[in-house]
Amino acid sequence: MAVLAGRLARRWCFGLLRSPTQVPALGLHAGSPTMRTSQKDFNDAVSQVKLLKEDPGNEVKLKLYALYKQATEGPCNVPKPGMLDFINKTKWDAWNALGSLSKEAARQKYVDLVSSLSTSSKSPSPETPAADRKPPEGNSLVVTSEDGITTIRLNRPTKKNALTTQMYHDIIAALQAASKDESTITVLTGSGDYYCSGNDLTNFTHLSAGGLEEMARSGEVLLRDFVDCLIDFPKPLVAVVNGPAVGISVTILGLFDVVYATDRATFHTPFSHLGQSPEGCSSYTFPKIMGSSKAAEMLLFGKKLTAQEACARGLVTEVFPDGTFQKEVWARLKAYSKLPPNALRISKQIIRKQEKEKLHAVNAEESSVLRERWLSDECMNAIASFLSRKAKL
Ligand SMILES: CCCCCC/C=C/C(=O)SCCNC(=O)CCNC(=O)[C@H](O)C(C)(C)COP(=O)(O)OP(=O)(O)OC[C@H]1O[C@@H](n2cnc3c(N)ncnc32)[C@H](O)[C@@H]1OP(=O)(O)O
């Protein structure tokens, strides 16, 4: 463990302010759900920073960092780092230089700064039809639009479609675009023999300037944004589970409208084994869907379900033989996609409306609990074991 921590710390130092995707990790922490509603512009700007595709440069990133800290924590209130700790000292200097600037003024400056950054560096406009969008980097996610169906396909078959940090961002962008495009139905599915093996455990090794704490903080924000996006998704959302599903790819199924699975699929949430805790609103949706003791067996003890068991428990809508899975499911979805889109939207809204506030609150709490878990020895040891090939599920 100590060796892993040392290795992680070294990677973090060398990675200082190098990549634009590290901007959000520089102290971003969106705070409590109450704060979130009253600071919408600020939170939108925080999300926008994560979507920047061009590096705004270290000076801007440092300003963003300082304004973020001032906006969320007020004037610099931590001891000055030692002379040799030059990374943290630079950050501390930038924050401290803001003196007694009020939180409100810092929020405003942060929003102004973000909106002044080139719009060309933002993600594609939500209005862009899915088919015309540039594929995300490395094609780990493939988004297509055909026959009234926008399909978001996890495309890292050699890694069992494990979700990298970039993929969470790309899925958020794809969902935002799909919510506004011409399609009637949106589908999430996987390439290859797996649906998804959950969070990519190597995400924990990509540390930015703020080290483990910052990684956990930015992970909390990203997780919350990702799940919020699913909670608010306005069109019918269908999971086409083409193989085994693990971790977060299972927990979010409670937020989908329909889940079709091949009979080869399994559903596994090994959170305790990983020293982690449930997310994706599963602490609320699973007991509601399958009853509290069945949910506990999955979420506490990591019981892996077959597709038939998941169907019997109400997590899966229908199971299909693997040989005819793709043909049967897509034929059915094509027929459904011809239904009047507005009626589908409105009906979904009525079905989900009463739950939304609750789901957002559950999501905020689960994300915050996970942030603490990620810093625990139990979690670090489990990840170290996986990375050193000592453990698999
Ligand atoms: C914003 C952050 C939000 C985080 C939210 C919290 C989310 C929590 C979770 O999702 S918890 C679940 C995490 N997932 C796992 O623990 C699964 C780990 N993987 C495994 O146990 C196994 O790989 C397997 C059972 C999924 C598949 O086993 P097998 O069929 O024997 O294949 P391999 O193990 O050889 O895997 C092939 C290849 O893929 C890599 N890989 C698989 N899963 C992951 C993963 N989750 N993270 C990173 N890499 C993964 C594996 O290392 C192999 O790579 P290699 O060929 O060795 O380079």
Side-chain angles (χ1 to χ4, degrees):
M1 186 56 223
V3 175
L4 176 76
R7 230 179 26 227
L8 296 182
R10 269 196 302 281
R11 283 186 75 149
W12 153 56
C13 282
F14 288 126
L16 172 71
L17 303 178
R18 222 172 25 202
S19 139
T21 56
Q22 288 173 355
V23 175
L26 291 175
L28 299 195
H29 170 26
S32 68
T34 338
M35 192 175 121
R36 205 174 141 259
T37 2
S38 63
Q39 298 181 331
K40 193 172 177 311
D41 287 347
F42 177 68
N43 287 341
D44 286 350
V46 169
S47 305
Q48 228 175 309
V49 168
K50 287 181 244 166
L51 299 175
L52 290 175
K53 293 282 189 258
E54 279 168 27
D55 191 338
N58 286 351
E59 206 176 294
V60 173
K61 284 192 259 186
L62 206 53
K63 262 190 206 154
L64 286 170
Y65 165 78
L67 287 170
Y68 183 86
K69 295 293 272 185
Q70 192 87 4
T72 54
E73 295 178 34
C76 183
N77 56 1
V78 295
K80 186 172 182 169
M83 288 304 286
L84 293 178
D85 190 359
F86 59 88
I87 295 168
N88 284 318
K89 190 177 161 300
T90 308
K91 290 165 68 184
W92 186 93
D93 285 342
W95 182 12
N96 193 48
L98 295 177
S100 59
L101 185 74
S102 71
K103 282 186 173 183
E104 205 177 288
R107 275 201 302 271
Q108 186 58 55
K109 278 175 180 281
Y110 184 96
V111 171
D112 291 346
L113 179 54
V114 172
S115 65
S116 74
L117 296 174
S118 163
T119 48
S120 65
S121 63
K122 285 181 197 159
S123 68
S125 133
E127 278 76 33
T128 311
D132 297 345
R133 257 176 272 133
K134 220 176 110 199
E137 228 172 276
N139 285 353
S140 299
L141 200 72
V142 177
V143 185
T144 51
S145 223
E146 211 184 335
D147 293 325
I149 304 171
T150 290
T151 303
I152 303 170
R153 183 180 298 276
L154 310 175
N155 191 38
R156 290 181 81 212
T158 56
K159 299 287 180 187
K160 310 293 180 195
N161 297 325
L163 295 166
T164 60
T165 301
Q166 186 59 45
M167 284 166 80
Y168 289 104
H169 287 295
D170 291 337
I171 295 170
I172 292 173
L175 286 170
Q176 283 168 346
S179 72
K180 304 220 166 90
D181 71 13
E182 295 290 299
S183 66
T184 305
I185 292 177
T186 302
V187 169
L188 184 67
T189 191
S191 295
D193 61 340
Y194 253 68
Y195 174 64
C196 175
S197 62
N199 191 37
D200 189 312
L201 296 173
T202 67
N203 288 342
F204 292 95
T205 64
H206 302 145
L207 295 185
S208 62
L212 282 174
E213 301 248 341
E214 291 294 351
M215 180 274 292
R217 236 194 296 267
S218 61
E220 175 191 357
V221 174
L222 179 57
L223 173 62
R224 208 184 55 211
D225 288 351
F226 174 70
V227 175
D228 274 347
C229 203
L230 292 166
I231 296 171
D232 291 329
F233 193 71
K235 297 179 180 179
L237 188 58
V238 179
V240 172
V241 185
N242 57 296
V246 183
I248 189 165
S249 71
V250 177
T251 55
I252 57 173
L253 291 177
L255 301 172
F256 281 65
D257 300 298
V258 165
V259 178
Y260 293 139
T262 158
D263 57 9
R264 239 181 3 89
T266 51
F267 298 83
H268 195 189
T269 49
F271 300 123
S272 304
H273 300 69
L274 292 165
Q276 298 189 31
S277 50
E279 79 300 275
C281 292
S282 58
S283 62
Y284 175 72
T285 58
F286 277 28
K288 200 165 166 242
I289 290 170
M290 60 186 83
S292 54
S293 78
K294 298 276 188 204
E297 205 183 14
M298 277 190 88
L299 297 175
L300 299 184
F301 300 132
K303 171 157 168 86
K304 191 196 283 186
L305 302 189
T306 62
Q308 294 297 355
E309 286 167 336
C311 192
R313 290 181 185 194
L315 185 62
V316 163
T317 313
E318 192 169 333
V319 180
F320 297 80
D322 195 52
T324 54
F325 175 64
Q326 297 289 347
K327 198 168 159 228
E328 286 194 60
V329 162
W330 289 106
R332 191 176 301 185
L333 289 174
K334 273 181 199 166
Y336 289 162
S337 74
K338 300 207 167 40
L339 290 166
N342 290 336
L344 289 173
R345 257 178 197 267
I346 288 164
S347 299
K348 171 159 179 172
Q349 200 183 355
I350 294 175
I351 295 168
R352 297 272 169 179
K353 200 167 144 194
Q354 314 302 332
E355 294 269 79
K356 267 199 184 175
E357 209 177 312
K358 175 77 186 167
L359 290 169
H360 283 300
V362 170
N363 180 29
E365 190 180 356
E366 286 178 346
S367 304
S368 147
V369 169
L370 251 181
R371 173 176 150 200
E372 297 300 322
R373 285 278 87 214
W374 287 327
L375 298 174
S376 71
D377 277 354
E378 287 180 345
C379 177
M380 280 297 155
N381 286 334
I383 289 159
S385 268
F386 176 77
L387 296 179
S388 62
R389 296 277 152 218
K390 275 189 272 165
K392 252 187 208 182
L393 293 173

